[in-house]
C-alpha cells in the first residue's frame, strides 16, 4: 500500500479523469480531471499564503465541493488539514487556533472580520475565505496562482489531518492522523463494503468529522466513484435523490427519521445497494423497521476519530441488529476488565481496545494524554464498553467515558458543566445524556443552586450560548437540591439518568 494518500488518490483520479467526482443538486459538478487541476491551483494558493509541509490549515467553512478540493490541495503539499465544526463559537475557535498554531485559517466569507480578529489574537499569520459557490478569496487566489502540480514526498508517519475531539477534562484534544492511517482505512473500507467506480454516494453528512470527511470522501476517492453533495440531511431531499444513488452513509438519526416517513418503500430504495450507519448506536428497532419497510438490512459499523473505522457488519453474511459486527481486516481488538486489565471471557463486558494501521499516532502536543490512552503495544483504549458474542459479533453496550452522543455529535459533559458552574448562583452541576427519540441522546443539565440564589433555565442557556456550539447546549435544565453521590463522593450520573429518563420520551 502507498501510504501517501494524495498519490493514491491521484492515480485513481487520472484513471477516472472524465468521470464525475462531486455533483450538487443545482447541477454543479467536478470531474476527477477538474479535481486534479483545481487541487493543484489551490495548492499553489496555499503555498503563496505560507502553508508548507507539516503546517496546519484550520478550516471552518460551510459544506461545498470546493471545501473537499481544499482538503485535497492540503494533502497534495503535505499540509495538515484541520476541519472545524461550523457551529463552534468564537471562544471555541480561539482555543483551536491557539493550540494548533495553524499557518492559515480559512473561514466563511461572512465571518471574515471575526476570523481576522481571532487570527490576530492567536498569532495565526494568514486568513482566507471560502464560500459555497466557488467563491471567496481562496478560490480567487487559486485562479491566479502558479499551480502546484507536484505531490509532497512523505514518510509514513507524516500527518494528513488533526481532528479535535472534546476532552473529558474539558480541554479538546487534537487527534493526529497520518497519511497511512487514512489510506489504509479507506482501502480496507472500499474492499469490505464492495465500493466500485459505479457507486454514487448520497452525501448528507457534515464534512468536518471522520464520518463525512474520511469514511465518505476518502472511500469515494479511493474507488473513483462519485458523490451527490447535499448541504445537510433533509428527509424530503433524500427521498427525491434515493432513486439516483447507490449508497447512503448516515448517523442513526438519519434512519430514525427515514423510518418514520411513509415514503420509505422497497420501490424508492430499489436502486440503492447499501445503507451504512455509524457514529452512535443504531437501535435494533430502527434496524428491523428499516428492513421491514425496504428489504435492506442497514450495515452498522463502529469507529472513532482517533482510530477511523474498526469494526463492521459484513457486506455478505448476516448484518446483525444491535451489533457492530466483526473487526475489519488488519484491526485487532481486545476487550479488557477495567480493574485487572485482563481480557474478559466471550460474552462478558469490558473496555474495548483496538490496534491497527488505522489507529492515530497520538494527541497533538499532549504526550501524557497520549500515553494514558495509546498503550505501548499499540492498542488504543476506546473508552467504549463492549461484548463479543459466540459468533464473533461485537456489541457496543455502553461507555466507560463520560460522553453524550447527540445526533452523532460528541458532547463531553465536563466542558458544559465547567461553564454552568461559572455562574455565581450555581453550586454545582451534572450534565447527562437522556434517551431522545430523534437524537439518540439529549444533552441535559441538572443544577444545584447556592442557598438563597435563584437563576432559571433561560439564564443558564443564555450563559452557554456565547461559549458553546448549539449542539452542546442542554435541551433541558433541571434544578435539584443536591446531586446523588456514592460513598466516595462521586456524582452518580446513572441515578440522574434513571430519574430523568422519560424527559424526551414524547418529544
Ligand atoms: C442540530 N441540532 C442539534 C444537532 N444537530 N442539537 C443537538 N444535537 C445535534 N446533533 C440543533 C440545531 O442547531 C437546531 O437548533 C435544532 O437542533 C434542530 O435542528 P434540526 O434541523 O433538527 O437538525 P438537523 O440539521 O436536522 O441536524 C440533525 C442531524 C445533524 C442529526 C442531521 O446533527 C447531523 O448531520 N449529524 C451528524 C453528525 C456527524 O457527522 N457525526 C459524525 C462524527 S464522527 P435551533 O435552535 O437552531 O433550531 C464519529 C466517528 C464515527 O463519530 O464513528 O463516525
Ligand atoms: P468521535 O469521538 O466523534 O469519533 O465518536 C466516537 C464514538 O462514537 C465512539 O467511541 C463510540 O462511543 C461512538 N460510536 C461510533 N460508532 C458507533 C456505533 N456503531 N455504535 C455505538 N457507538 C458508536
Amino acid at each position: 500500500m502507498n501510504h501517501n494518500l494524495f498519490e493514491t488518490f491521484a492515480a485513481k483520479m487520472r484513471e477516472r479523469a472524465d468521470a464525475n467526482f462531486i455533483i450538487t443538486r443545482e447541477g454543479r459538478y467536478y470531474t476527477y480531471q477538474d479535481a486534479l487541476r483545481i487541487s493543484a491551483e489551490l495548492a499553489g494558493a496555499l503555498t503563496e499564503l505560507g502553508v508548507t509541509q507539516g503546517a496546519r490549515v484550520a478550516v471552518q467553512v460551510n459544506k461545498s465541493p470546493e471545501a473537499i478540493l481544499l482538503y485535497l490541495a492540503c494533502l497534495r503539499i503535505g499540509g495538515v488539514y484541520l476541519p472545524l465544526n461550523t457551529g463552534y463559537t468564537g471562544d471555541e475557535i480561539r482555543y483551536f487556533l491557539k493550540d494548533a498554531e495553524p499557518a492559515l485559517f480559512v473561514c466563511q466569507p461572512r465571518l471574515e472580520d471575526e476570523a481576522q480578529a481571532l487570527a490576530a489574537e492567536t498569532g495565526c499569520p494568514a486568513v482566507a475565505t471560502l464560500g459555497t459557490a466557488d467563491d471567496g478569496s481562496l478560490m480567487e487566489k487559486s485562479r491566479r496562482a502558479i499551480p502546484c502540480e507536484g505531490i509532497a514526498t512523505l514518510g509514513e508517519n507524516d500527518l494528513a489531518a488533526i481532528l479535535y475531539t472534546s476532552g473529558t477534562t474539558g480541554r479538546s484534544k487534537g487527534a493526529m492522523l497520518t497519511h497511512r492511517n487514512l489510506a489504509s482505512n479507506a482501502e480496507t473500507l472500499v474492499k469490505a463494503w464492495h465500493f466500485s467506480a459505479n457507486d454514487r454516494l448520497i452525501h448528507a453528512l457534515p464534512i468536518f468529522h471522520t464520518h463525512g470527511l474520511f469514511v465518505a470522501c476518502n472511500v469515494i476517492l479511493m474507488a473513483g466513484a462519485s458523490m451527490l453533495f447535499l448541504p445537510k440531511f433533509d428527509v424530503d431531499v433524500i427521498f427525491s435523490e434515493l432513486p439516483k444513488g447507490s449508497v447512503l452513509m448516515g448517523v442513526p438519526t438519519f434512519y430514525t427519521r427515514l423510518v418514520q416517513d411513509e415514503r420509505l418503500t422497497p420501490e424508492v430504495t430499489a436502486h440503492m445497494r447499501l445503507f451504512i450507519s455509524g457514529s452512535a448506536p443504531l437501535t435494533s428497532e430502527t434496524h428491523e423497521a428499516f428492513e421491514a419497510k425496504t428489504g435492506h438490512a442497514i450495515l452498522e459499523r463502529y469507529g472513532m476519530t482517533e482510530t477511523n473505522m474498526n469494526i463492521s457488519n459484513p457486506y455478505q453474511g448476516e448484518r446483525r441488529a444491535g451489533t457492530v459486527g466483526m473487526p475489519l481486516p488488519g484491526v485487532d481488538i481486545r476487550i479488557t476488565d477495567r480493574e485487572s486489565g485482563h481480557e474478559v471471557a466471550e460474552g462478558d463486558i469490558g473496555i474495548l481496545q483496538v490496534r491497527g494501521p488505522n489507529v492515530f499516532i497520538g494527541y497533538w502536543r499532549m504526550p501524557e494524554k497520549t500515553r494514558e490512552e495509546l498503550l505501548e503495544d499499540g492498542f488504543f483504549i476506546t473508552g467504549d464498553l463492549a461484548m463479543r458474542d459466540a459468533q464473533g459479533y461485537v456489541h457496543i453496550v455502553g461507555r466507560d467515558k463520560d460522553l453524550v452522543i447527540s445526533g452523532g455529535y460528541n458532547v463531553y459533559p465536563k466542558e458544559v458543566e465547567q461553564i454552568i458552574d461559572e455562574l455565581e448562583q450555581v453550586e454545582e452541576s451534572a450534565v447527562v445524556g437522556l434517551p431522545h427519540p430523534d437524537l439518540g441522546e439529549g444533552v441535559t443539565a441538572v443544577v444545584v443552586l447556592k442557598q438563597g440564589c435563584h437563576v432559571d433555565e433561560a439564564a443558564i442557556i443564555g450563559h452557554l450560548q456565547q461559549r458553546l456550539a448549539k449542539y452542546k447546549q442542554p435541551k433541558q435544565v433541571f434544578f435539584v437540591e443536591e446531586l446523588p453521590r456514592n460513598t466516595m463522593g462521586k456524582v452518580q450520573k446513572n441515578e440522574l439518568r434513571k430519574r430523568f429518563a422519560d424527559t424526551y420520551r414524547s418529544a
Side-chain angles (χ1 to χ4, degrees):
M1 186 197 72
N2 184 345
H3 57 251
N4 186 320
L5 192 57
F6 191 83
E7 261 177 23
T8 312
F9 290 160
K12 207 38 150 189
M13 289 159 101
R14 284 185 214 106
E15 191 187 308
R16 300 273 302 149
D18 295 329
N20 274 333
F21 165 40
I22 305 188
I23 59 170
T24 71
R25 276 192 100 205
E26 298 73 44
R28 291 207 298 131
Y29 66 91
Y30 289 99
T31 63
Y32 275 107
Q33 177 70 48
D34 296 333
L36 271 171
R37 175 178 55 80
I38 299 170
S39 68
E41 292 170 4
L42 277 165
L46 292 179
T47 307
E48 285 180 16
L49 285 160
V51 179
T52 51
Q53 194 164 325
R56 278 76 57 207
V57 178
V59 180
Q60 189 192 29
V61 296
N62 284 319
K63 185 173 175 181
S64 72
E66 292 76 25
I68 296 302
L69 300 176
L70 169 59
Y71 161 62
L72 289 173
C74 213
L75 293 176
R76 192 188 253 275
I77 58 169
V80 181
Y81 193 70
L82 197 168
L84 295 163
N85 192 321
T86 43
Y88 286 150
T89 62
D91 273 3
E92 290 167 303
I93 297 296
R94 182 179 296 110
Y95 169 81
F96 299 124
L97 296 184
K98 260 193 200 152
D99 193 57
E101 297 185 296
L104 172 67
F105 178 27
V106 183
C107 68
Q108 305 169 38
R110 73 176 177 88
L111 295 179
E112 189 178 2
D113 290 348
E114 275 175 45
Q116 290 284 8
L118 283 169
E121 198 187 316
T122 56
C124 173
V127 171
T129 64
L130 183 66
T132 54
D134 194 14
D135 57 327
S137 67
L138 192 64
M139 296 312 296
E140 271 164 40
K141 198 172 187 65
S142 74
R143 288 187 264 270
R144 282 181 275 112
I146 300 164
C148 176
E149 305 283 355
I151 301 174
T153 307
L154 298 167
E156 66 169 26
N157 275 338
D158 278 323
L159 297 188
I162 295 180
L163 263 60
Y164 276 86
T165 71
S166 299
T168 38
T169 52
R171 262 192 82 198
S172 287
K173 300 171 288 185
M176 298 190 287
L177 294 151
T178 65
H179 278 250
R180 176 171 177 260
N181 293 152
L182 301 183
S184 67
N185 209 234
E187 193 176 87
T188 301
L189 296 180
V190 167
K191 284 192 198 136
W193 297 339
H194 292 214
F195 268 87
S196 78
N198 298 326
D199 274 307
R200 169 153 301 168
L201 176 74
I202 299 176
H203 192 306
L205 287 159
I207 52 168
F208 37 70
H209 282 307
T210 295
H211 198 163
L213 183 60
F214 302 145
V215 186
C217 300
N218 287 357
V219 162
I220 291 305
L221 281 153
M222 199 64 103
S226 67
M227 48 189 173
L228 172 67
F229 238 44
L230 301 173
K232 60 173 287 208
F233 178 78
D234 176 313
V235 173
D236 293 337
V237 174
I238 298 291
F239 277 113
S240 79
E241 298 305 330
L242 275 179
K244 295 176 235 157
S246 69
V247 182
L248 177 72
M249 282 184 194
V251 295
T253 301
F254 284 23
Y255 296 105
T256 50
R257 290 184 186 178
L258 290 173
V259 151
Q260 282 166 24
D261 199 295
E262 59 191 19
R263 289 170 289 180
L264 187 70
T265 59
E267 292 71 39
V268 78
T269 56
H271 195 252
M272 294 290 284
R273 176 176 77 77
L274 183 61
F275 291 90
I276 303 174
S277 177
S279 305
L282 180 76
T283 62
S284 300
E285 294 77 55
T286 305
H287 180 108
E288 282 153 15
F290 196 89
E291 189 164 11
K293 286 187 157 202
T294 64
H296 287 278
I298 298 171
L299 186 155
E300 184 172 7
R301 58 58 176 180
Y302 163 85
M304 286 185 82
T305 302
E306 288 91 335
T307 65
N308 298 288
M309 300 304 102
N310 301 301
I311 305 177
S312 171
N313 268 284
Y315 186 78
Q316 279 156 333
E318 190 192 352
R319 298 177 196 158
R320 201 174 278 191
T323 82
V324 292
M326 283 158 272
L328 284 160
V331 177
D332 300 321
I333 71 163
R334 67 185 177 204
I335 300 175
T336 61
D337 180 78
R338 172 148 30 125
E339 266 73 52
S340 69
H342 295 138
E343 276 196 66
V344 300
E346 179 190 288
D348 285 349
I349 294 170
I351 297 174
L352 178 64
Q353 300 184 1
V354 299
R355 176 172 71 184
N358 48 310
V359 174
F360 78 145
I361 57 165
Y363 294 113
W364 172 254
R365 292 180 180 164
M366 285 190 182
E368 274 170 33
K369 275 270 160 236
T370 302
R371 269 193 298 277
E372 277 169 29
E373 293 177 35
L374 189 55
L375 305 176
E376 265 178 22
D377 61 3
F379 275 94
F380 174 69
I381 305 172
T382 63
D384 289 308
L385 296 173
M387 180 273 280
R388 186 155 30 177
D389 66 22
Q391 285 76 42
Y393 283 78
V394 178
H395 304 233
I396 303 294
V397 298
R399 291 174 213 129
D400 189 47
K401 54 193 172 192
D402 193 13
L403 166 70
V404 182
I405 306 184
S406 167
Y409 286 138
N410 286 7
V411 181
Y412 281 87
K414 191 90 198 157
E415 190 183 3
V416 187
E417 290 161 5
Q418 275 173 348
I419 302 181
I420 296 177
D421 293 351
E422 285 171 9
L423 285 169
E424 56 177 343
Q425 300 92 331
V426 171
E427 177 72 37
E428 60 175 346
S429 64
V431 168
V432 291
L434 301 178
H436 191 290
D438 183 42
L439 298 169
E441 291 175 348
V443 178
T444 311
V446 184
V447 175
V448 181
L449 295 178
K450 285 187 186 140
Q451 236 175 3
C453 289
H454 181 74
V455 64
D456 62 8
E457 176 168 18
I460 292 193
I461 303 288
H463 174 64
L464 293 169
Q465 244 152 22
Q466 303 301 316
R467 311 277 295 277
L468 289 178
K470 176 89 195 179
Y471 70 90
K472 297 181 189 173
Q473 295 167 23
K475 299 258 172 235
Q476 196 143 349
V477 180
F478 291 102
F479 294 92
V480 296
E481 290 292 314
E482 58 179 5
L483 295 175
R485 292 183 188 277
N486 64 14
T487 46
M488 309 286 287
K490 191 169 182 279
V491 176
Q492 291 177 299
K493 291 200 167 176
N494 261 341
E495 288 301 317
L496 293 174
R497 280 189 281 265
K498 263 191 238 155
R499 183 164 157 199
F500 296 107
D502 291 334
T503 304
Y504 306 110
R505 290 265 195 243
S506 55

